Amino acid sequence: QKEVEQNSGPLSVPEGAIASLNCTYSDRVSQSFFWYRQYSGKSPELIMSIYSNGDKEDGRFTAQLNKASQYVSLLIRDSQPSDSATYLCAVNKGDTSGTYKYIFGTGTRLKVLA
Amino acid sequence: AAGVIQSPRHLIKEKRETATLKCYPIPRHDTVYWYQQGPGQDPQFLISFYEKMQSDKGSIPDRFSAQQFSDYHSELNMSSLELGDSALYFCASSFQGRYEQYFGPGTRLTVT
C-alpha cells in the first residue's frame, strides 16, 4: 500500500461543473499537504498548500484537510477544459534533516468535457 | 518571476554511458530536491541538499551521485546508464523553513 493514495481516474466532468479530487495518506505524522497540476510531459505546478484542518480557498480552487481521517481533497469550481491534467497530491512529514521531501500519490487524471 | 532552470532539457545516451544534469534554483532558494518520474508514474524522491550539504536521500541508485555548489546550483551525475534510467528528472527548489517546492521544467533522459 502506498503512503499516499489517489484514484487514478480518469475523472470526467462537464465544463462548468465542480471537480472533486481526493487523497488519503497513511502516516499520521504528515505535516503539510500540497496539490500540483501536471500536464503531460511537463513539470508539476503548485496549485495549493494546506497545513491546518479545514478549508483553504484560492480562486476557483479549495483544498480541504481532515487530519483525523488522514484525508485531503481539492475542489475545482467552474471547471474549464484547460484544467484537464493530472493532479498530484504530495505530502511531507518533515524530519530532523530540516528538508521536506515529498511523497507523491500516483495522481488523478482529470478530463473536463467541453 | 524567475523559475528553476534545468539543463539540458533533453538528453540521449547509450547504455553504460554517463550523464550530468544541472539545476539552477530560484534565486535565494537554498534547498534543492531531485525527483525521477518514469512514464505514467509519480515523481520519486532521489536526493536533496541544503546549504551545499546532502540533507536527505531517497531511492537514488549507487550509480548516481549529486552535489550542490557554492552558488546553490546542483548537479546530478549518472554513471553506467541503464535502459531503466530513461525518465523525466525534475529538480525542485525551496527556501529553508518553507514547505513549498517549485519544480523546474525537467530533463528528459533517454537511454538507448
Side-chain angles (χ1 to χ4, degrees), chain A residues 36 38 43 51 97 100 102 105, chain B residues 37 42 55-56 100-101 104:
Chain A
Y36 283 81
Q38 187 175 30
S43 61
Y51 311 117
S97 73
Y100 308 100
Y102 284 170
Chain B
Q37 187 175 30
D42 53 290
S55 54
D56 203 352
E100 293 85 357
Q101 295 179 25

Side-chain angles (χ1 to χ4, degrees), chain B residues 40-55:
Chain B
Q41 298 180 0
D42 53 290
Q44 295 292 314
F45 171 73
L46 293 178
I47 195 166
S48 63
F49 292 87
Y50 165 61
E51 283 291 344
K52 294 151 279 184
M53 298 288 289
Q54 180 183 310
S55 54

Side-chain angles (χ1 to χ4, degrees), chain B residues 4-8 19-26 29-35 46-56 60 65-77 89-93 107:
Chain B
V4 177
I5 297 172
Q6 290 187 248
S7 67
T20 297
L21 279 52
K22 296 184 179 182
C23 168
Y24 297 86
I26 292 171
H29 281 197
D30 49 16
T31 307
V32 167
Y33 304 81
W34 286 95
Y35 293 86
L46 293 178
I47 195 166
S48 63
F49 292 87
Y50 165 61
E51 283 291 344
K52 294 151 279 184
M53 298 288 289
Q54 180 183 310
S55 54
D56 203 352
I60 184 169
S65 64
Q67 56 182 324
Q68 186 180 32
F69 295 86
S70 58
D71 64 351
Y72 295 104
H73 95 270
S74 178
E75 295 184 3
L76 178 65
N77 299 293
Y89 290 84
F90 292 110
C91 169
S93 74
T107 294

Side-chain angles (χ1 to χ4, degrees), chain A residues 61-81:
Chain A
F61 300 98
T62 298
Q64 299 173 318
L65 175 61
N66 184 325
K67 288 187 178 182
S69 300
Q70 294 175 238
Y71 175 92
V72 58
S73 66
L74 179 70
L75 300 178
I76 306 175
R77 289 180 298 281
D78 188 23
S79 295
Q80 301 297 310

Side-chain angles (χ1 to χ4, degrees), chain A residues 33-37 43-49 51 102, chain B residues 99-103:
Chain A
F33 309 86
F34 308 86
W35 284 98
Y36 283 81
R37 177 173 63 196
S43 61
E45 174 192 6
L46 180 64
I47 297 175
M48 294 281 289
S49 58
Y51 311 117
Y102 284 170
Chain B
Y99 298 121
E100 293 85 357
Q101 295 179 25
Y102 297 90
F103 283 74

Side-chain angles (χ1 to χ4, degrees), chain A residues 28-40:
Chain A
R28 287 192 172 273
V29 304
S30 299
Q31 296 180 349
S32 48
F33 309 86
F34 308 86
W35 284 98
Y36 283 81
R37 177 173 63 196
Q38 187 175 30
Y39 296 108
S40 181

